[in-house]
């Protein structure tokens, strides 16, 4: 979500006005609420920082979906018209046509923009989307250095997988109880909601990726909506209804503006937008409120009706544009892309969604099922073909393809992943191999390297170039090397062990602190340097590295394919320069040694940076070093006098 894990939303529960009018009455306010939800997701993915929690749109949609679908099923049961075949016919008409068209166009465009390794991953993602298991596929490929979401055009289909897996079981559950035992069904739904919610909290604390993608840890969200469909509240006072609606809106806005990708989400945090959505739905069904009328205005309702197609198209458009340019978007570009997203969604809704929903195309159920099966089979064959063709098209022996393959760099050996570089959300300090990572030497200078992945990537270079030093390592993903650090339990345990236990009984000659530093880290770093000066002969802080909008190997491959060499400079992110200067002032002001990694890679401000060494990119993603890059940084730090090669 990690982070840099994408946070999508499920919008496939959209119910045409004609259908919901038949099954419990059309509610324009729910379409309006859907419009707000898809707007949050769209603006979040567009990069608007004021909506850094806009990913909660997924939770809003899950609740809405559970409510609408369960209400339809209950109505069918009560009037004796329920049919599994009819239910899945509706699902296919609402989901498959627009999804199929999007997948076909994405697969058609991809070879023009992607390198062979990316094409292979996209093909498997397309297969997973066809099989409604995109969430499980993405979980199987998740990891700290997995492909970032900004390069996965189909990552957003994960939510469709979660939803369809949920709807494999919900109709069966309701049919099992039948129309005469709805009270038992209601309390069963309530029990399952609680069990799933508790499981979500428990799994999130261990593996955020698992809790995010697994259907049983997400099921409680649509189940909240399902439970609402059972609720028949007595008429409540107008003031209470208005208060409930405003409270619901407040919870949604709170989560959309205050949540961020670093939270242990979904977990208990997901309850905030889900509860907000539930309150709005309940208020709207209890006589309505001022908010109900606001949500029913035409622009919001129109956005809600477009939401499924808008969701399907917005992410591939953003991703493909970003992969093509390789540079940060301007505000004008972002606005233009949003307009393009709405245009694509409108075309999809008008010429794909509506004709199938209104049975203007393939009106018979048998014909629809046959066409859906044929389309799925055809897409699967197409995706599998790309898996094989990507080994030959484009030429795998080209320099651009060679460079692009470094995006799949194996960091295990050079970072000592799993032994001295721990996965903070999966491992604890007890997993650190003390004999390999923290054994001191009596006849060599002892150097202790502490921090996150931006410390781990220094180890191989330091070990190669400081041959007369004993390089010890205690690093964990996302783990800032400061006293009182927060974050994942494994990180907190490790930093406490290193700073409070190990450094109390061992005094290294050099203590190196390195991380992906942010401006907010400076006060804590100052406290840490001050407190640890007596526990080490010398404290050296390595600053933030140069970062790029796209993985450096991809940029180099694009240049090798004919793009201007200026692309690399244009793709370099400027944000770290100011933090670098402030960190230098803080550390040097306390008597520590500060190493500007940016200056080691770039001779001067604004100049081109070193990007390749011995034919190998010095970084394999936005900012992590390869072994060649690590060796380069270590050599230049020694040459500059920051470290001594005794």
């Amino acid at each position: 979500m990690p982070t840099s894990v994408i946070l999508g939303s499920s919008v496939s529960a959209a119910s045409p006005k004609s259908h919901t009018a038949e099954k419990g009455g059309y509610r324009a306010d729910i379409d309006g609420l859907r419009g707000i939800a898809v707007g949050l997701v769209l603006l979040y993915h567009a990069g608007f920082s004021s909506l850094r929690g806009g990913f909660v749109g997924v939770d809003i949609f899950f609740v809405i979906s559970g409510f609408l679908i369960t209400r339809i099923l209950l109505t069918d049961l009560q009037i004796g018209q329920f049919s599994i075949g009819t239910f899945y016919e509706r699902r296919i008409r609402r989901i498959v046509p627009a999804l199929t068209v999007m997948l076909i166009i994405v697969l058609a465009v991809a070879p023009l923009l992607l390198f062979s390794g990316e094409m292979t991953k996209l093909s498997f993602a397309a297969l997973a989307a066809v099989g409604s298991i995109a969430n499980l596929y993405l979980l199987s490929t998740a990891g700290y250095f997995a492909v970032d979401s900004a390069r996965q055009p189909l990552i957003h289909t994960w939510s469709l997988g979660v939803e369809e897996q949920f709807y494999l079981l919900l109709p069966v559950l309701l049919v099992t109880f039948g129309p005469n035992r709805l009270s038992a069904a209601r309390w069963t739904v309530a029990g399952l909601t609680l069990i799933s919610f508790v499981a979500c909290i428990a799994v999130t604390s261990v593996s955020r990726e698992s809790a995010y993608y697994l259907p049983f840890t997400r099921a409680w969200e649509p189940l909240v909506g399902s439970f609402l469909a059972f609720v028949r509240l007595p008429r409540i006072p107008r003031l209470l209804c208005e208060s409930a609606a405003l409270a619901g809106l407040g919870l949604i806005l709170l989560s959309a503006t205050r949540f961020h990708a670093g939270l242990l989400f979904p977990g208990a945090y997901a309850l905030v937008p889900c509860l907000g959505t539930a309150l709005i739905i309940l208020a709207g069904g209890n006589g309505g409120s001022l908010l109900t009328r606001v949500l029913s205005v035409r622009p919001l309702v129109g956005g809600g009706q477009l939401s499924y197609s808008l969701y399907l198209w917005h992410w591939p458009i953003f991703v493909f544009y970003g992969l093509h340019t390789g540079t940060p978007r301007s505000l004008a570009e972002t606005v233009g892309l949003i307009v393009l997203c709405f245009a694509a969604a409108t075309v999809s809704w008008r010429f794909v969604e509506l004709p199938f929903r209104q049975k203007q195309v393939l009106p018979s159920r048998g014909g629809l099922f046959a066409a859906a099966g044929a389309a799925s089979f055809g897409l699967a064959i197409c995706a599998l073909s790309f898996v094989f063709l990507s080994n030959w098209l484009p030429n795998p022996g080209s320099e651009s393809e060679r460079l692009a393959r470094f995006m799949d760099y194996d960091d295990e050996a050079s970072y000592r992943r799993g032994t001295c570089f721990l996965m903070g959300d999966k491992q604890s300090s007890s997993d650190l191999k003390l004999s390999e990572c923290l054994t001191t030497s009596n006849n060599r200078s002892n150097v202790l390297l502490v921090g996150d992945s931006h410390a781990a990537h220094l180890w191989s270079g330091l070990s190669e170039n400081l041959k007369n030093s004993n390089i010890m390592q205690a690093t964990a993903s996302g783990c800032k090397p400061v006293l009182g650090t927060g974050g994942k339990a494994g990180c907190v345990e490790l930093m406490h062990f290193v700073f409070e236990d190990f450094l109390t009984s061992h005094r290294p000659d050099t203590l190196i602190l390195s991380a992906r530093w942010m401006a907010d880290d400076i006060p804590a770093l100052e406290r840490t340097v001050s407190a640890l000066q007596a526990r080490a002969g010398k404290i050296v802080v390595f600053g933030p590295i140069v970062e790029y909008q796209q993985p450096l190997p991809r940029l180099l491959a694009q240049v090798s394919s004919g793009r201007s060499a200026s692309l690399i400079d244009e793709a370099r992110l400027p944000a770290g320069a100011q933090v670098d200067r402030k960190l230098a002032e803080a550390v040097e002001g306390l008597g520590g040694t500060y190493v500007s990694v940016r200056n080691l890679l770039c001779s001067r401000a604004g100049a081109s940076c070193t990007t390749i060494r011995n034919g190998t990119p010095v970084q394999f993603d936005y900012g992590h070093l390869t072994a060649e890059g690590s060796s380069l940084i270590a050599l230049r730090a020694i040459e500059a006098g920051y470290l001594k090669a005794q």
Side-chain angles (χ1 to χ4, degrees), residues 67-99:
F67 172 74
L68 292 177
I69 298 301
T70 304
R71 186 172 67 157
I72 292 170
L73 291 174
L74 289 177
T75 302
D76 284 345
L77 281 172
Q78 290 169 330
I79 64 178
Q81 292 184 355
F82 177 80
S83 164
I84 291 288
T86 300
F87 174 77
Y88 284 111
E89 179 186 359
R90 293 172 187 156
R91 298 300 298 167
I92 289 173
R93 288 190 181 279
R94 292 174 189 174
I95 298 169
V96 174
L99 176 63

Side-chain angles (χ1 to χ4, degrees), residues 6-7 39-55 150 256 314-315 318 328-331 333-335 337-338 341 549:
I6 185 177
L7 301 168
L40 291 177
V41 173
L42 178 64
L43 295 177
Y44 169 70
H45 288 158
F48 286 87
S49 58
S50 58
L51 292 174
R52 59 181 184 166
F55 54 80
H314 86 283
W315 189 243
F318 282 151
R329 291 192 308 265
S330 67
L331 178 59
E333 289 175 303
T334 299
V335 172
L337 288 176
I338 291 174
C341 290
Q549 179 72 14

Side-chain angles (χ1 to χ4, degrees), residues 130-181:
V130 169
S132 295
I133 56 170
N135 56 318
L136 302 180
Y137 168 72
L138 289 167
L139 177 59
S140 71
T141 60
Y144 190 71
F145 291 124
V147 180
D148 63 276
S149 60
R151 292 191 291 122
Q152 298 188 69
L154 296 178
I155 194 173
H156 64 320
T157 58
W158 75 268
S159 60
L160 304 182
V162 168
E163 212 177 61
E164 292 317 299
Q165 291 152 28
F166 175 78
Y167 289 124
L168 285 175
L169 300 178
L170 180 65
V172 176
L173 173 67
L174 296 181
V175 169
T176 300
F177 285 99
N180 299 320
R181 299 176 61 199

Side-chain angles (χ1 to χ4, degrees), residues 505-638:
S505 54
H506 302 81
R507 190 176 186 274
D509 298 287
T510 302
L511 171 62
I512 297 177
L513 306 178
S514 184
R516 191 186 186 193
W517 302 109
M518 303 294 177
D520 293 344
D521 298 319
I522 294 177
L525 178 60
E526 289 178 318
R527 292 194 299 270
T528 302
V529 171
S530 296
L532 297 180
Q533 283 180 334
R535 302 184 190 181
K538 178 181 181 181
I539 295 180
V540 179
V541 176
F542 275 71
I545 197 170
V546 177
E547 296 187 5
Y548 295 89
Q549 179 72 14
Q550 296 285 342
L552 180 58
R554 190 175 211 287
L555 296 169
L556 291 169
Q558 286 179 286
V559 170
S560 179
S561 297
R563 294 286 297 274
S564 169
S566 63
L567 171 66
I568 297 175
D569 293 338
E570 293 167 359
R572 192 168 68 230
L573 301 178
Q578 185 176 5
V579 175
D580 196 45
R581 290 192 295 271
K582 291 182 178 180
L583 282 165
E585 294 173 1
V587 173
E588 292 169 357
L590 293 170
T593 299
Y594 184 76
V595 180
S596 172
V597 178
R598 294 179 64 90
N599 290 343
L600 294 182
L601 286 173
C602 315
S603 59
R604 63 184 187 280
S608 296
C609 304
T610 302
T611 58
I612 197 163
R613 182 175 187 253
N614 297 329
T616 299
V618 298
Q619 293 155 253
F620 64 83
D621 59 6
Y622 73 90
H624 289 101
L625 293 168
T626 60
E628 284 286 349
S630 182
S631 181
L632 175 69
I633 292 297
L635 276 174
R636 290 185 176 178
I638 292 169

Side-chain angles (χ1 to χ4, degrees), residues 415-416 418-422 431-440 447-449 459 470-475 494 502:
Y415 285 53
R416 297 203 286 183
T419 55
C420 304
F421 172 47
L422 307 180
D431 293 309
L432 194 75
K433 302 294 178 61
L434 296 179
S435 60
E436 296 181 38
C437 310
L438 290 178
T439 298
T440 57
V447 177
L448 174 58
L449 174 65
W459 178 81
N470 172 46
I471 312 298
M472 298 177 287
Q473 179 186 356
T475 55
L494 180 63
F502 184 82

